[in-house]
Amino acid sequence: MSAAGARIGVITFPGSLDDGDARRAVRRAGASDVALWHGDADLHGVDAVIVPGGFSYGDYLRCGAIAKFAPVMTEVVRAAGQGMPVLGVCNGFQVLCEAGLLPGVLTRNSGLHYVCRDQWLRVDNNTSTWTTRYEPGAELLIPIKHGEGRYVAEEPVLDRLEGDGRVLFRYVDGNPNGSRRDIAGITDERGRVAGLMPHPEHAVDPLTGPTDDGLGMFLSALDTLVAA
Amino acid sequence: MTDPTREAATQDPATPNGAEPVDSVEQAARTPELDQPYRELGLADDEYERIREILGRRPTEAELAMYSVMWSEHCSYKSSKTHLKYFGETTTDEMRAKMLAGIGENAGVVDIGDGWAVTFKVESHNHPSYVEPYQGAATGVGGIVRDIMAMGARPVAVADPLRFGPADADDTRRVLPGVVEGVGGYGNCLGLPNIGGEVVFDESYARNPLVNAMCVGVLKSDELQLAHATGAGNKVILFGSRTGLDGIGGVSVLASETFSGDETGSGRKKLPSVQVGDPFTEKVLIECCLELYGSDLVVGVQDLGGAGLSCATSELAAAGDGGMRIDLDTVPLRAEGMNPAEILSSESQERMCAIVRPEDVDSFMAVCRKWDVTATVIGEVTDEEHLRIDWRGECVVDVPPRTVADEGPIYQRPVRRPAEQDLIAADDANTLSRPATAAELRETVLRMAASPNLCSREWVTGQYDHYVRGNTVLAQPSDGGVLRVDEETGRGIAVATDCNARYTRLDPYEGARLALAEAYRNVAVTGSKPVAVTNCLNFGSAEDPGVMWQFQQSVRGLADAAAELGIPVTGGNVSFYNQTGGDPILPTPVAGVLGVIDDVTARIPTGIGAAPGESLLLLGD
Amino acid sequence: MARVVVDVMPKQEILDPQGQAVANALPRQGFEGISEVRQGKRFELEVDDGVDDDTLARIAENFLANPVIEDWAVRRVES
Amino acid sequence: MARVVVDVMPKQEILDPQGQAVANALPRQGFEGISEVRQGKRFELEVDDGVDDDTLARIAENFLANPVIEDWAVRRVES
Ligand SMILES: Nc1ncnc2c1ncn2[C@@H]1O[C@H](COP(=O)(O)OP(=O)(O)O)[C@@H](O)[C@H]1O
């Protein structure tokens, strides 16, 4: 498959906000972007899926709690089971946790405020589908913007995540939300499904973001798709 | 899924047993002498007389509710109109060349080239934010965003000029965090980057905080929407949230005083005048509106803000070519037992009203269904001259719409330069002692850097998303916010809002000129060319001649400065009565300037030291 | 020591977007028959025996609830 | 029609920064003697009589609460 032949879908829920940005990032990485609709139980033959940031359904009950029941999510869960790469960013991460594709849950920031700032992250794992382009230990500057990003899971779950090398990114230079063990992003057992609170799609062009450090995530997935 | 058509069909008029008698037009004609609580509704004796004259009878409850809100200071600009004319008088044809819509529309619209247009406006939500900081500020953002949507634009950014009492005052500790969270909570959830604003502390704003919210929208210049109800037979569609009892405020005196009569019956006296915002519904409403506009399904559109349906129906009809008929029974309600006056006055948020050709109604409803937005046909445009509103088979409103929307009273309030103004001017800053030694200078600089009015705004701006939509090129702490409008060409815009109200207190005319000059400079230093001005004029009581003098002078200052700079004032907002007891706030005419930049990659960031060897130059004197 | 529960609910006439979102989502998950949902807050306090009902009411009214838009109720429970 | 209350509270072992913030603020307001505060959610549902306890439990467990971090309790009340 050529890069442009790779089709990456981006879901739009009512209340999604960063869907346009995720699609822009996909195009910037050289792949084709495909719009997916929450009410449409069809992935339209895409090769990977991004669940973008925002406030799906207003995030009123708990972030992501209502979105996990959207018809499109049934298909995402099915496809992820068959190994399709899936990335959840911010609200998308919350949705993937609620949907059971990733362990744990994202709770109210310990500072009790919404935080928007440029945040340093350290790459802990560069073997997942979404992180192969990074050197292990590399530090990235990527925006965060969330009110509920404190990653919480039971101790044994946290131990297992660390033991299996499934922590993708950790906050460095200050933990912005009180996440357990400074966790900013994780992956599933197979390294195909990834979720993180920071917004790589807002770090693809230094004109509109702090850096282009986020582009590597999209390029990483594209490498896998092209090689397949 | 809400089925909007079924919604309308099954809407149950729910006439409770022993329903209150409806105060119909017929009834009003039969009972001319009925005592009406017009004063409690804020109408003066002569205003009430004028309404009787217009109608040739006493108004019904519903009509009285309508006139009283529409003729309020907030909606009718009755004290300011006579001064605001000066903006029009000082705008030349040359300044007007790029203006697609100006003062009088929901928001001003400016052509920025390449087929793009930009609309921007500031509105105040001062008092509600004092009563309930979070919801007051949140619904302030929601309201200005709907104004921008009503022009046919996609809202693309917000900014929030704020004023509070002393930073260490107890009340500021209550108000400020709530306001900031409200602005952030609503704007972040709508996905609108916050690209500017101000945070100023001054004693005069204690108990009178100012929460001004700006929204900027972008559209193709041929996609402008207008708020008019034209074409007899066209349908009137109300869409968005249901109409509830919140935000009714003063009109509840109608229910308690004249309807039920007995004290126990109504329980309506304590209706909360506060509204609760639902940003998610508004976000969906934005996408729904844009799809409706894009499919050319709308003839005219108006947002529902202050004065709710009273305002939307009368303004749409007044700007149209005929009349309008509304069937109030079809309005989807959230509360039981609402009466016509309450339905017409409710300020429930997240609602819009559209005029739609009959053949487009099905397609309109389909778009609303897609976005799960409740939509209901509530009436139609007629070739009569009146706005007529029916309720349970009886006519409860029958008025010439222009008399409600456009022909409210105009006051020539007394204007007097306060005697103390000379004392203030005589108290010259040159008499203050200056730091004489290096140590004193150091101490002064440190004190200034730490002062609430100069310290970092990050506690505030860090709660606002400035990245969303991926087009923010400059935001806090830049002097002006810069946004990319066109990804192909890099064309973009800049905005800044400013006002130093202490200057305006010293000299309202010069202070207003300085406010505009500062916003103009803040736009210019981003590398953009300023093209238009909006404003939000926050003042004390219109009944205080000294305040009216400040107001008059500030308007003149702003207008003259705009003319001097050659850019038009395309709109604005007036907020009077920002005072507790006899002490008005500092006169605060916030100026907002819009600029255009041909290529955002050429923007100039604020700050020095980006590259070694930079030279520092001081321009001007 | 006593356990005190303070329930804070949005006033009836006030819009409750949270409760509404929950109510709208239930049928989508196959749960029928729930006509209305309102969402509020529940606080559980561990309170010294010396704290009287009046104090608790003031805490609820001035601090835990926003009386402009919310109603509250205080009750002592077995802990 | 019945009214059902669902209480959802953060699990004891989970950090509750909102409750903690309340607890810390109380002494500053002059309220002493409150040693711990936890903040959760309270839902009030209007439920058809046909909806059984088992269904309500599933709604609470799968939807209103996230069992990783929250406990829940359902009870029917007089309406
Ligand atoms: N309420 C606010 N909302 C958003 N941005 C704000 C707010 N207050 C201040 N800012 C931003 O913070 C920066 C610094 O503000 P300020 O100190 O007022 O700047 P200046 O003194 O240069 O006018 C500016 O970019 C301004 O737009």
Side-chain angles (χ1 to χ4, degrees):
Chain A
M1 184 191 292
S2 70
R7 301 172 73 244
I8 301 185
V10 177
I11 299 177
T12 298
F13 297 100
S16 288
L17 304 179
D18 302 298
D19 44 344
D21 303 285
R23 289 173 58 187
R24 186 192 286 120
V26 165
R27 290 194 298 274
R28 218 174 159 87
S32 303
D33 61 307
V34 178
L36 301 176
W37 182 243
H38 72 113
D40 184 6
D42 188 342
L43 297 183
H44 297 276
V46 296
D47 304 303
V49 173
I50 298 176
V51 190
F55 291 77
S56 52
Y57 302 93
D59 272 351
Y60 281 128
L61 174 60
R62 266 185 328 277
C63 297
I66 298 182
K68 77 170 163 186
F69 295 108
V72 75
M73 282 308 296
T74 316
E75 296 310 303
V76 170
V77 172
R78 193 194 324 269
Q82 291 159 4
M84 181 183 285
V86 177
L87 174 67
V89 176
C90 195
N91 190 226
F93 185 16
Q94 296 160 339
V95 174
L96 297 184
C97 288
E98 283 281 341
L101 287 178
L102 293 171
V105 52
L106 293 138
T107 59
R108 187 90 190 264
N109 292 352
S110 53
L112 298 179
H113 288 297
Y114 183 97
V115 179
C116 174
R117 73 179 201 209
D118 300 337
Q119 173 71 42
W120 285 102
L121 309 177
R122 194 181 62 233
V123 179
D124 256 35
N125 164 320
N126 75 336
T127 61
S128 85
T129 304
W130 297 91
T131 52
T132 49
R133 284 273 185 130
Y134 298 113
E135 299 290 325
E139 296 199 346
L140 318 176
L141 186 62
I142 292 186
I144 56 163
K145 47 192 192 84
H146 59 251
E148 307 196 12
R150 176 169 50 105
Y151 183 73
V152 172
E154 285 149 9
E155 286 301 310
V157 175
L158 293 171
D159 291 340
R160 198 161 356 107
L161 282 174
E162 304 213 67
D164 298 349
R166 285 166 54 197
V167 174
L168 294 182
F169 303 104
R170 271 182 231 264
Y171 300 112
V172 288
D173 213 12
N175 179 336
N177 51 30
S179 280
R180 299 301 315 279
R181 308 192 192 181
D182 298 330
I183 289 173
I186 58 172
T187 184
D188 69 342
E189 286 94 346
R190 286 191 277 182
R192 312 281 282 184
V193 178
L196 77 168
M197 285 315 293
H199 287 263
E201 81 283 14
H202 283 293
V204 295
D205 178 355
L207 179 69
T208 51
T211 59
D212 60 3
D213 290 353
L215 200 56
M217 291 197 74
F218 305 94
L219 292 170
S220 298
L222 198 52
D223 288 346
T224 307
L225 296 178
V226 170
Chain B
M1 260 300 159
T2 319
D3 177 344
T5 45
R6 191 196 61 204
E7 194 82 54
T10 58
Q11 181 64 45
D12 179 11
T15 313
N17 292 335
E20 293 155 345
V22 174
D23 189 30
S24 63
V25 167
E26 219 171 79
Q27 161 111 354
R30 267 202 317 269
T31 54
E33 299 314 321
L34 185 80
D35 232 0
Q36 297 193 282
Y38 62 87
R39 284 204 199 98
E40 288 86 336
L41 292 171
L43 286 167
D45 293 354
D46 55 339
E47 290 172 342
Y48 179 66
E49 269 319 306
R50 170 101 184 90
I51 296 168
R52 294 188 69 123
E53 227 169 82
I54 290 169
L55 300 176
R57 56 174 165 79
R58 75 161 173 89
T60 64
E61 307 282 1
E63 288 166 341
L64 186 61
M66 235 170 149
Y67 278 104
S68 70
V69 250
M70 290 301 289
W71 286 12
S72 69
E73 185 65 59
H74 177 70
C75 294
S76 75
Y77 288 77
K78 58 188 168 192
S79 304
S80 55
K81 235 181 196 160
T82 177
H83 301 287
L84 297 178
K85 278 196 309 228
Y86 190 69
F87 285 126
E89 292 162 13
T90 46
T91 307
T92 63
D93 286 345
E94 199 187 338
M95 286 158 72
R96 213 169 263 137
K98 293 272 165 60
M99 225 162 95
L100 304 178
I103 294 175
E105 302 296 337
N106 278 313
V109 183
V110 185
D111 188 332
I112 64 157
D114 292 349
W116 290 104
V118 171
T119 173
F120 74 131
K121 191 179 180 195
V122 191
E123 265 205 359
S124 62
H125 223 215
N126 302 339
H127 187 64
S129 304
Y130 175 66
V131 177
E132 207 322 273
Y134 183 95
Q135 296 296 346
T139 53
V141 173
I144 188 66
V145 167
R146 285 193 300 283
D147 265 320
I148 293 304
M149 276 155 69
M151 301 309 297
R154 173 180 276 287
V156 293
V158 293
D160 58 329
L162 308 175
R163 304 287 186 284
F164 301 101
D168 54 2
D170 273 349
D171 206 49
T172 304
R173 258 183 233 146
R174 171 185 73 97
V175 175
L176 185 145
V179 165
V180 170
E181 254 178 70
V183 169
Y186 207 98
N188 294 343
C189 192
L190 287 189
L192 294 179
N194 186 311
I195 60 167
E198 297 159 82
V199 182
V200 178
F201 301 93
D202 185 273
E203 181 65 44
S204 82
Y205 305 114
R207 295 190 303 264
N208 293 285
L210 302 185
V211 175
N212 293 178
M214 174 192 261
C215 182
V216 185
V218 168
L219 64 159
K220 285 289 187 175
S221 36
D222 55 3
E223 287 173 350
L224 190 61
Q225 294 287 343
L226 292 173
H228 59 198
T230 53
N234 283 343
K235 300 297 179 191
V236 181
I237 299 184
L238 178 65
F239 60 119
S241 288
R242 289 162 174 270
T243 300
L245 276 169
D246 45 347
I248 288 184
V251 170
S252 48
V253 304
L254 284 172
S256 51
E257 302 234 349
T258 57
F259 274 166
S260 347
D262 75 299
E263 280 300 311
T264 50
S266 87
R268 289 281 175 80
K269 273 196 169 149
K270 287 209 201 109
L271 279 184
S273 58
V274 172
Q275 311 111 36
V276 169
D278 179 357
F280 168 65
T281 295
E282 181 125 321
K283 163 67 181 166
V284 172
L285 200 53
I286 293 175
E287 301 304 330
C288 180
C289 277
L290 290 167
E291 190 167 335
L292 292 168
Y293 301 158
S295 315
D296 199 17
L297 294 172
V298 169
V299 175
V301 66
Q302 172 73 294
D303 58 301
L304 275 76
L309 266 176
S310 291
C311 179
T313 53
S314 63
E315 287 193 349
L316 279 165
D321 50 11
M324 191 189 274
R325 256 174 196 262
I326 299 290
D327 181 2
L328 266 196
D329 298 298
T330 56
V331 172
L333 302 179
R334 215 179 64 229
E336 279 169 27
M338 290 180 73
N339 66 43
E342 289 170 335
I343 299 171
L344 286 168
S345 315
S346 164
E347 295 187 353
S348 288
Q349 302 288 295
E350 293 94 20
R351 296 178 298 162
M352 302 282 286
C353 195
I355 307 298
V356 180
R357 287 174 294 265
E359 63 271 26
D360 290 335
V361 169
D362 287 346
S363 315
F364 187 103
M365 293 299 181
V367 172
C368 291
R369 256 194 309 277
K370 170 179 167 192
W371 289 102
D372 212 355
V373 165
T374 305
T376 314
V377 174
I378 61 165
E380 65 178 43
V381 180
T382 62
D383 51 16
E384 302 157 9
E385 296 197 333
H386 276 206
L387 166 61
R388 184 190 153 121
I389 301 179
D390 291 339
W391 168 250
R392 299 195 180 146
E394 295 196 69
C395 175
V396 292
V397 171
D398 188 2
V399 297
R402 280 185 198 90
T403 64
V404 180
D406 304 331
E407 291 160 18
I410 295 181
Y411 288 168
Q412 307 291 335
R413 301 267 193 208
V415 170
R416 196 174 338 104
R417 182 172 187 273
E420 65 185 16
Q421 202 68 34
D422 290 327
L423 292 176
I424 297 173
D427 187 4
D428 194 332
N430 286 318
T431 61
L432 296 176
S433 68
R434 310 271 140 151
T437 64
E440 278 174 30
L441 190 60
R442 178 172 188 280
E443 199 272 332
T444 305
V445 168
L446 289 179
R447 194 146 42 89
M448 285 177 68
S451 76
N453 278 329
L454 292 177
C455 68
S456 164
R457 265 73 190 116
E458 204 176 301
W459 190 87
V460 173
T461 58
Q463 297 186 47
Y464 301 154
D465 183 351
H466 59 267
Y467 279 116
V468 65
R469 300 188 58 73
N471 287 314
T472 307
V473 174
L474 291 177
Q476 38 274 17
S478 162
D479 287 322
V482 175
L483 282 184
R484 177 170 63 189
V485 168
D486 188 327
E487 238 172 294
E488 298 288 305
T489 63
R491 179 166 295 265
I493 53 172
V495 291
T497 67
D498 283 290
C499 177
N500 185 325
R502 292 168 62 92
Y503 291 171
T504 320
R505 176 80 171 89
L506 293 176
D507 182 338
Y509 181 85
E510 282 303 329
R513 283 162 55 88
L514 285 169
L516 179 55
E518 185 179 356
Y520 188 97
R521 284 197 305 276
N522 279 333
V523 162
V525 296
T526 64
S528 307
K529 183 173 162 21
V531 294
V533 185
T534 191
N535 63 62
C536 191
L537 308 176
N538 305 274
F539 287 80
S541 166
E543 282 142 58
D544 175 337
V547 167
M548 280 316 283
W549 175 78
Q550 293 174 332
F551 181 77
Q552 175 213 50
Q553 292 294 305
S554 296
V555 168
R556 295 197 158 245
L558 266 182
D560 289 348
E564 237 172 281
L565 294 167
I567 57 175
V569 176
T570 61
N573 176 252
V574 178
S575 170
F576 280 126
Y577 301 100
N578 293 290
Q579 72 180 58
T580 312
D583 296 329
I585 58 163
L586 294 178
T588 314
V590 173
V593 169
L594 172 74
V596 179
I597 179 165
D598 291 340
D599 179 2
V600 290
T601 59
R603 88 287 186 198
I604 304 167
T606 303
I608 51 173
E614 286 176 349
S615 307
L616 196 54
L617 302 179
L618 178 64
L619 304 183
D621 52 18
Chain C
M1 268 304 200
R3 169 163 300 174
V4 170
V5 171
V6 181
D7 291 322
V8 174
M9 295 299 293
K11 288 195 169 156
Q12 236 351 291
E13 58 274 18
I14 287 275
L15 175 70
D16 171 22
Q18 309 191 81
Q20 211 172 294
V22 171
N24 293 341
L26 285 169
R28 284 204 291 272
Q29 300 163 43
F31 296 116
E32 301 290 342
I34 288 134
S35 56
E36 208 200 311
V37 179
R38 296 189 74 77
Q39 177 174 340
K41 296 174 192 155
R42 175 188 164 98
F43 296 89
E44 291 182 3
L45 286 64
E46 301 300 326
V47 171
D48 281 356
D49 293 332
V51 179
D52 62 11
D53 289 353
D54 191 51
T55 305
L56 290 172
R58 275 186 297 131
I59 290 176
E61 169 87 14
N62 299 327
F63 200 60
L64 299 180
N66 176 347
V68 180
I69 51 175
E70 292 168 330
D71 294 325
W72 53 267
V74 174
R75 65 208 144 84
R76 292 172 186 264
V77 296
E78 308 291 300
S79 56
Chain D
M1 271 302 198
R3 170 164 299 174
V4 170
V5 171
V6 181
D7 291 321
V8 173
M9 295 300 293
K11 285 192 169 158
Q12 247 342 300
E13 63 274 15
I14 295 273
L15 175 71
D16 170 23
Q18 304 188 83
Q20 225 167 47
V22 172
N24 294 341
L26 284 171
R28 283 202 298 272
Q29 312 280 319
F31 296 116
E32 301 290 343
I34 288 130
S35 56
E36 206 201 312
V37 180
R38 298 190 72 77
Q39 176 173 341
K41 298 174 190 154
R42 175 187 164 99
F43 299 89
E44 292 182 2
L45 286 65
E46 301 298 326
V47 170
D48 280 355
D49 294 331
V51 179
D52 61 13
D53 289 353
D54 189 53
T55 305
L56 290 173
R58 275 187 297 133
I59 290 175
E61 169 87 13
N62 300 326
F63 186 49
L64 298 181
N66 181 334
V68 176
I69 47 167
E70 292 165 329
D71 295 324
W72 53 267
V74 174
R75 65 208 144 88
R76 293 174 185 261
V77 297
E78 308 292 297
S79 58

